[in-house]
Amino acid sequence: KEILALYRDLPGPQGLRDELRISSRDILELHLKIAAARQTDHLAKRLAFTMRRAGWSGPLAYKDKTGRTVRGYVKPVTGR
């Protein structure tokens, strides 16, 4: 439950008109402070399960604001 609370209102996603996006890298490295060398397939699967439970879709490939293709999660914006 504590981990789900962390992801629910995760700071830093890119806001688009009707959805929020955040890359897996941003979640693992910037927010959870897990170095790339320590990231495993098991950790990625656990992140995917947790993000889906928190209402995010993914992991999906998309372009970030710099134009790079990244893998991450998408969530519809509600209440706008």
Side-chain angles (χ1 to χ4, degrees):
K1 289 184 179 180
E2 293 171 9
I3 290 178
L4 284 176
L6 173 68
Y7 293 127
R8 268 204 189 98
D9 297 312
L10 193 64
Q14 298 176 27
L16 300 176
R17 287 185 191 184
D18 55 353
E19 65 184 23
L20 296 174
R21 295 178 177 183
I22 189 160
S23 71
S24 299
R25 178 201 165 277
D26 285 350
I27 296 169
L28 294 171
E29 291 183 21
L30 301 178
H31 297 288
L32 297 177
K33 308 291 188 218
I34 300 171
R38 294 186 52 223
Q39 296 174 16
T40 62
D41 288 340
H42 174 73
L43 186 60
K45 288 177 185 177
R46 197 169 159 193
L47 175 64
F49 173 79
T50 304
M51 292 298 284
R52 285 189 208 112
R53 263 188 90 184
W56 293 77
S57 299
L60 306 169
Y62 63 88
K63 299 273 186 188
D64 68 3
K65 58 187 168 188
T66 65
R68 293 179 313 156
T69 300
V70 296
R71 292 187 60 79
Y73 298 88
V74 179
K75 183 176 184 175
V77 173
T78 56
R80 278 193 179 182

